[in-house]
Amino acid sequence: MTPPTETTHTTLINPTDESVLRTVERTTLAQVDDAISHAMSAQRAWAALPPAERATAIRRFADAVGAANEELAQLEVANSGHPITQARWEAGHVRDVLNYYAAAPERMIGKQIPVAGGIDVTFLEPLGVVGIIVPWNFPMTIASWGFAPALAAGNAVVLKPAEWTPLTAIRLGELALESGLPEGLFQVLPGKGSVVGDRFVTNENVKKIVFTGSTDVGKQIMAGCSHQVKPVTLELGGKSANVIFADSDLEKAAATAPYSVFENAGQDCCARSRILVERSVFDRFLELLEPAVKGVVVGAPSDEATEMGPLVSKVHFDSVSSFMADDTRVAFRGSAPSGPGFWFAPTVLLPKSSNERVVTDEIFGPVVTVLPFEDEADAIRLANSSIYGLSGSIWTRDIGKALRVTRAVESGNLSVNSHSSVRYTTPFGGFKQSGLGRELGPDAATAFTETKNVFISTD
Ligand code: NDP
């Protein structure tokens, strides 16, 4: 037997202690094409099933995911370094997303439109095979935002996990089969983005791409899809603002701010990585923020008390570290274990201007900048001075101001006096270069259909 090589296999590293976890075989181009052909036949049979049968099958898949919660969570701890409590939540979220969209097959309701000389109806037709490309930061949850509504709408799915973090996705693919989903309907194809992901884009039998990842790769995918006018949903980068007005509950704003950016070690597209504070309370806010940052429990992901684990890889650790130049003004830092593992302590920076790279670029690590603003107009100007527009928070006790500012901030997901995380019942997606289209919420399954209009003459 030929031993695994770096060209045919990926070696997975546990980010907590840098030990080798296992190797995973990369899918070849020929195997991707075979999987897509297989998915085409599975999709035709799936779409022909009565809606209630598809709903039941998705509920069984959800039950299997629910029963495997601990196993999936432990895989994410080992592969991604996610704290165990967070990883259990993530596996539970996948089950919930499947259950939520299990209601969709029986609710794919078209319209009946008044016309002369007959009746006019619309049908929501499945697209066929959908290609989903997933990043490494939330491997399970982000995958489910694509595959659950896509399957519910009558499609087959081929899914490419990120090369560094394929384990939970591979297990989800197995659970789909074990729960009785037809073979070929949901296939997980680990491998390189430039091979497997790119093939989803170029293969004409993949009818839509759902991509979550960096803005640069998202642009390439969009350009690639344009050759076939292939629809895309893009969930890309973020550099979201946490806007704190002087009239807010400053204690609560400061106590919660670390968790809005350091959760998942800052590897979160929704991280509120730019804190903007009204100048009159700037110093007081920093006084309150310091103990909150130092109180974040950074440590072994397997420990239930841990709130933040390591960064995902050495490559990513080096990328985050590259933002810490000699002239970077550090206000204070939290703690992190020393020794092996890709540990990076929570870090608060005080940039001199809003043009600095730490303010404009997505660091995707546990690093936050704090800048002062003068008034409401200045807060809106600063919040919007980014190519991104994914999430953000507004802190004020003035409801009128909260509404004015949320309407003025160019972002897809905002919360007032909180840092609401993603809810599967509400739409999620970005303005500007944070993305295109929306995932989750009541309409997500519709994004995996074409609307067909049919006129039936009564003459
Ligand atoms: P990348 O864009 O590098 O990768 C994302 C996925 O795309 C991976 O599966 C990757 O495969 C694949 N890929 C890479 N190149 C290609 C290609 N040419 N064609 C097709 N697929 C390709 O991002 P990261 O995984 O590094 O994730 C970090 C970035 O993603 C951050 O900027 C972050 O903001 C963003 N992100 C956005 C989210 C959102 O919801 N808006 C959520 C999560 C992350 P491979 O693993 O082999 O490189």
Side-chain angles (χ1 to χ4, degrees):
M1 202 178 88
T2 324
T5 70
E6 270 306 307
T7 50
T8 58
H9 289 69
T10 301
T11 303
L12 304 183
I13 305 292
N14 183 330
T16 302
D17 58 11
E18 302 180 44
S19 60
V20 172
L21 207 52
R22 68 171 85 159
T23 58
V24 171
E25 194 175 343
R26 291 180 182 154
T27 315
T28 63
L29 265 188
Q31 288 168 330
V32 177
D33 286 344
D34 281 353
I36 292 167
S37 301
H38 200 179
M40 286 169 72
S41 6
Q43 188 272 329
R44 282 191 283 270
W46 175 245
L49 284 178
E53 281 186 34
R54 277 188 274 135
T56 302
I58 295 172
R59 284 192 194 100
R60 288 204 185 106
F61 183 16
D63 290 345
V65 172
N69 181 289
E70 188 62 22
E71 182 193 358
L72 289 163
Q74 294 293 350
L75 281 176
E76 210 63 277
V77 169
N79 195 177
S80 308
H82 289 193
I84 181 65
T85 50
Q86 175 189 321
R88 287 181 185 135
W89 180 91
E90 288 167 9
H93 179 85
V94 175
R95 173 205 57 216
D96 294 346
V97 170
L98 279 164
N99 273 324
Y100 182 69
Y101 290 107
E106 294 173 285
R107 291 175 174 77
M108 300 304 291
I109 298 164
K111 290 185 172 131
Q112 182 267 309
I113 299 167
V115 287
I119 58 169
D120 192 284
V121 287
T122 63
F123 296 93
L124 298 175
E125 304 286 11
L127 300 173
V129 180
V130 172
I132 301 178
I133 303 171
V134 180
W136 45 259
N137 60 334
F138 288 106
M140 275 189 272
T141 55
I142 290 176
S144 72
W145 302 350
F147 69 67
L151 292 171
N155 301 282
V157 169
V158 284
L159 185 142
K160 194 207 90 65
E163 234 205 320
W164 294 337
T165 58
L167 295 185
T168 47
I170 291 171
R171 186 66 191 120
L172 286 170
E174 292 167 356
L175 288 168
L177 279 179
E178 288 166 20
S179 72
L181 272 197
E183 208 157 321
L185 190 69
F186 174 45
Q187 298 173 77
V188 176
L189 310 176
K192 288 191 100 50
S194 54
V195 178
V196 181
D198 184 62
R199 195 61 178 160
F200 291 178
V201 174
T202 56
N203 188 309
E204 291 191 349
N205 294 318
V206 174
K207 300 300 182 187
K208 175 169 183 164
I209 299 290
V210 177
F211 171 82
T212 304
S214 61
T215 296
D216 283 349
V217 175
K219 287 176 185 174
Q220 287 174 40
I221 302 245
M222 194 175 176
C225 285
S226 73
H227 296 295
Q228 295 168 24
V229 197
K230 186 179 291 195
V232 283
T233 295
L234 301 174
E235 299 288 359
L236 310 174
K239 191 74 185 179
S240 297
N242 180 7
V243 182
I244 295 157
F245 285 97
D247 67 357
S248 65
D249 179 342
L250 267 197
E251 280 74 15
K252 192 170 172 194
T256 57
Y259 299 96
S260 76
V261 55
F262 301 143
E263 207 171 71
N264 207 34
Q267 304 164 125
D268 181 350
C269 50
C270 288
R272 275 69 163 173
S273 52
R274 291 183 297 144
I275 302 180
L276 308 175
V277 188
E278 195 158 1
R279 191 180 292 280
S280 59
V281 293
F282 189 80
D283 292 342
R284 175 70 187 136
F285 179 80
L286 282 178
E287 274 170 25
L288 292 166
L289 184 64
E290 184 165 359
V293 168
K294 293 188 168 161
V296 175
V297 183
V298 184
S302 54
D303 186 338
E304 292 196 353
T306 292
E307 295 175 319
M308 190 186 116
L311 292 170
V312 71
S313 69
K314 173 78 168 80
V315 171
H316 190 55
F317 175 87
D318 290 343
S319 161
V320 174
S321 303
S322 74
F323 284 88
M324 305 295 286
D326 290 343
D327 57 351
T328 306
R329 284 211 303 161
V330 179
F332 41 83
R333 301 189 77 176
S335 62
S338 52
F342 310 121
W343 300 100
F344 198 99
T347 302
V348 178
L349 302 180
L350 292 177
K352 291 200 187 73
S353 91
S354 58
N355 300 324
E356 285 182 28
R357 192 171 152 245
V358 289
V359 186
T360 57
D361 290 15
E362 183 178 48
I363 299 173
F364 223 54
V367 181
V368 68
T369 60
V370 192
L371 277 169
F373 66 83
E374 306 305 331
D375 54 19
E376 191 176 319
D378 196 32
I380 294 166
R381 179 189 66 78
L382 275 171
N384 286 339
S385 63
S386 170
I387 59 165
Y388 301 115
L390 190 55
S391 74
S393 302
I394 320 292
W395 290 78
T396 174
R397 288 187 168 105
D398 177 339
I399 184 72
K401 191 194 289 179
L403 284 171
R404 285 194 303 274
V405 176
T406 49
R407 295 303 298 273
V409 171
E410 298 154 353
S411 171
N413 309 271
L414 291 166
S415 46
V416 174
N417 297 330
S418 69
H419 304 291
S420 72
S421 57
V422 176
R423 294 186 180 88
Y424 57 82
T425 50
T426 58
F428 174 71
F431 279 34
K432 302 193 277 189
Q433 293 191 32
S434 282
L436 190 67
R438 292 292 177 271
E439 297 191 284
L440 299 175
D443 303 324
T446 311
F448 294 97
T449 63
E450 286 280 18
T451 299
K452 182 180 286 170
N453 191 69
V454 177
F455 170 74
I456 304 161
S457 170
T458 48
D459 294 337

